[in-house]
Amino acid sequence: MATEAKLDPMHQFQLEKLAGADWNIAGYNIAFTNSALWMAIATIALIVFVAGGMKRAVVPGRWQMAVETFTGFIDGMLAANVGKNGKKYVPYIFSLFMFILFANFLGLMPLGVVGVHAFTFTSHFSATGVLAILSFAIVLIVGFSKHGLHFFSLFVPHGTPVAMIPIIFVVELISFLVRPFSLGLRLFVAMMAGHVLLEVLSSFVISGGNNGPVMFVIAGVPSFVLMIGICALELLVAGIQAYVFALLTCVYLNDAENLH
Amino acid sequence: MPQIAQLGEFYASQIFWLLVFFGITFFVVGRGMVPKVMDTVASRDNQIATDLKAAEAARAQADAEEAAWRARENANRAQAHGFIADARAKAAAATAERIAGTQARLDAEIAAAETRIAQARRNAAAEIEDVATDATRDILSRVAGLSLDDTAVRGAVKENLVHG
């Protein structure tokens, strides 16, 4: 039974209660799970990383340079997508980007070698959905507080013929409302697909090895080589998905901040 | 698919802990640390811009000073040239004056000498006349036994000396 579970590619996404199985808030159970543990690890790693770049030296060292590169990257992204008003969103976008980036990278760490199993909480839509709804909520709050009901003009592009306005409004409204889902699901799907692929390929290596040397050479070795390539690809995807999440949040914020 | 299969059991925990840890990230890292890091970058950029501006100003000042020095140097050189030309002109004038003075003195001396020579010649001619008159009178008295008037003899001698 235990060996079967190991070859189940979905097993890695299994949530387990580590502590507080009976912790409840207003009737909702908030047990501390392996997912919550890796959220904590990502948070601590991020705090350590950024704290290491806080020497505030005029001539930065390598670590400070790395941290400043990330803040400069986020600052530049907001300046390019939102403009001068985007500066105030740097703390949020930076937190969002770095939190997802660290979560993705930590989930890819080959810690299985030392017997610890990394858990990628960004492969759960219950986690990515919260981040997506958070971003969407900020867009709504900024949009309505800045432009009031005029924010609805976002759904009527410039130059729409009067006869087309009702239909266009509905289409635009739907595409707007789909944003939080696409935002959350994109990250969840990309992370889950990569991890499933790696798990399936590694199960090929193991089953190939179990079925004798011939099968190992035919199926096991090529799968292993492919895995190495896919690992590199997954590292790229981990960065890109964090970037896409942050970039789309910037684009949506631009809609709210600079209504056309 | 545990994401769906376990959703009912764990969604509250997932949402709660994500909000907790993302909240910590946002407030500690995003609000606490990132502004300081950005501040450092901004102050560094500021300092670099200030330093560049100061360097630019210093260079402009150095250029201005060099131009001023060059102008001063050119003026000094022109003045020196003026002095040299002046001195040369003055020296030439003095030399010309001295030459003229010497020339005048020499001319005067030559003129005086010539006058003296003419005087001497005239004296010599008068003496020759006297001697010739005396000699003529002596000859006449000895040879012809004539005692002639001095004035007549002199007139004859003079006539013969002039026409002879």
Side-chain angles (χ1 to χ4, degrees), chain A residues 10 13-15 17 23 25 28-33 35-36 39-40 43 46-47 50-51 54 56-58 60 64 68 75 91-92 94-96 99 123-124 126-127 130-131 134 188 192, chain B residues 1-7 9-44 47-48:
Chain A
M10 300 311 278
F13 304 119
Q14 203 80 35
L15 291 169
K17 289 179 182 172
W23 292 352
I25 290 181
Y28 294 102
N29 180 263
I30 51 152
F32 194 82
T33 59
S35 170
M39 291 173 194
T43 304
L46 182 53
I47 289 172
V50 180
M54 294 252 299
R56 318 200 65 174
V58 174
Q64 192 183 340
E68 283 174 4
D75 192 33
Y92 175 70
F94 182 84
S95 306
L96 193 65
F99 190 63
S123 63
H124 273 256
S126 46
V130 174
L131 293 174
L134 212 54
F188 142 69
M192 191 190 74
Chain B
M1 196 171 182
Q3 285 95 333
I4 293 169
Q6 292 184 303
L7 188 61
E9 189 185 352
F10 284 108
Y11 77 95
S13 156
Q14 285 279 77
I15 292 168
F16 175 77
W17 290 112
L18 188 87
L19 287 177
V20 166
F21 288 117
F22 186 69
I24 291 172
T25 300
F26 177 66
F27 285 108
V28 174
V29 176
R31 297 293 291 268
M33 295 172 169
V34 168
K36 285 178 189 152
V37 173
M38 304 258 299
D39 246 24
T40 310
V41 175
S43 72
R44 181 187 308 129
Q47 192 181 341
I48 289 171

Side-chain angles (χ1 to χ4, degrees), chain B residues 41-115:
Chain B
V41 175
S43 72
R44 181 187 308 129
D45 288 353
N46 219 357
Q47 192 181 341
I48 289 171
T50 314
D51 287 357
L52 279 180
K53 208 181 283 174
E56 185 63 42
R59 203 184 61 175
Q61 196 190 342
D63 281 352
E65 267 170 25
E66 199 202 334
W69 171 82
R70 204 174 287 281
R72 217 164 47 235
E73 192 66 14
N74 284 343
N76 284 348
R77 191 167 295 144
Q79 200 182 1
H81 277 304
F83 280 146
I84 289 169
D86 209 25
R88 192 174 290 156
K90 230 178 258 173
T95 308
E97 201 177 328
R98 203 175 306 143
I99 287 170
T102 310
Q103 191 66 49
R105 192 166 46 80
L106 287 179
D107 284 352
E109 273 173 23
I110 289 167
E114 277 173 353
T115 316

Side-chain angles (χ1 to χ4, degrees), chain A:
Chain A
M1 189 66 200
T3 45
E4 266 177 45
K6 252 188 185 162
L7 290 177
D8 172 12
M10 300 311 278
H11 176 73
Q12 58 177 323
F13 304 119
Q14 203 80 35
L15 291 169
E16 286 155 22
K17 289 179 182 172
L18 300 178
D22 52 351
W23 292 352
N24 287 301
I25 290 181
Y28 294 102
N29 180 263
I30 51 152
F32 194 82
T33 59
N34 49 353
S35 170
L37 175 67
W38 285 92
M39 291 173 194
I41 292 171
T43 304
I44 290 164
L46 182 53
I47 289 172
V48 169
F49 172 69
V50 180
M54 294 252 299
K55 280 194 227 76
R56 318 200 65 174
V58 174
V59 179
R62 289 182 189 190
W63 197 318
Q64 192 183 340
M65 200 71 212
V67 175
E68 283 174 4
T69 305
F70 275 113
T71 59
F73 169 66
I74 300 296
D75 192 33
M77 185 157 74
L78 275 164
N81 288 296
V82 184
K84 220 162 40 164
N85 292 335
K87 198 107 186 157
K88 57 178 171 285
Y89 301 112
V90 168
Y92 175 70
I93 301 292
F94 182 84
S95 306
L96 193 65
F97 174 73
M98 294 303 275
F99 190 63
I100 294 171
L101 188 71
F102 269 58
N104 292 351
F105 275 141
L106 283 171
L108 280 170
M109 288 290 138
L111 299 175
V113 176
V114 293
V116 185
H117 286 281
F119 183 88
T120 319
F121 65 83
T122 43
S123 63
H124 273 256
F125 61 82
S126 46
T128 61
V130 174
L131 293 174
I133 289 167
L134 212 54
S135 288
F136 192 67
I138 289 172
V139 169
L140 286 183
I141 291 166
V142 169
F144 280 114
S145 69
K146 216 174 149 77
H147 305 288
L149 290 179
H150 191 62
F151 186 55
F152 282 108
S153 72
L154 180 67
F155 308 131
V156 185
H158 268 302
T160 312
V162 178
M164 294 292 285
I165 283 179
I167 301 168
I168 293 290
F169 185 86
V170 171
V171 169
E172 288 282 329
L173 181 64
I174 290 169
S175 90
F176 182 76
L177 292 177
V178 161
R179 282 175 180 184
F181 297 99
S182 66
L183 203 55
L185 288 176
R186 182 183 297 111
L187 176 58
F188 142 69
V189 165
M191 295 322 293
M192 191 190 74
H195 282 263
V196 168
L197 186 55
L198 285 176
E199 194 78 13
V200 168
L201 286 172
S202 63
S203 78
F204 284 174
V205 177
I206 293 164
S207 333
N210 286 344
N211 285 322
V214 178
M215 280 307 285
F216 181 68
V217 171
I218 292 173
V221 174
S223 296
F224 186 70
V225 173
L226 189 60
M227 260 184 84
I228 294 172
I230 301 233
C231 274
L233 186 70
E234 282 308 306
L235 287 172
L236 185 70
V237 168
I240 285 176
Q241 287 302 325
Y243 173 64
V244 166
F245 203 109
L247 180 68
L248 283 176
T249 304
C250 289
V251 171
Y252 299 159
L253 275 172
N254 179 44
D255 282 345
E257 190 71 40
N258 311 310
L259 198 58
H260 55 75

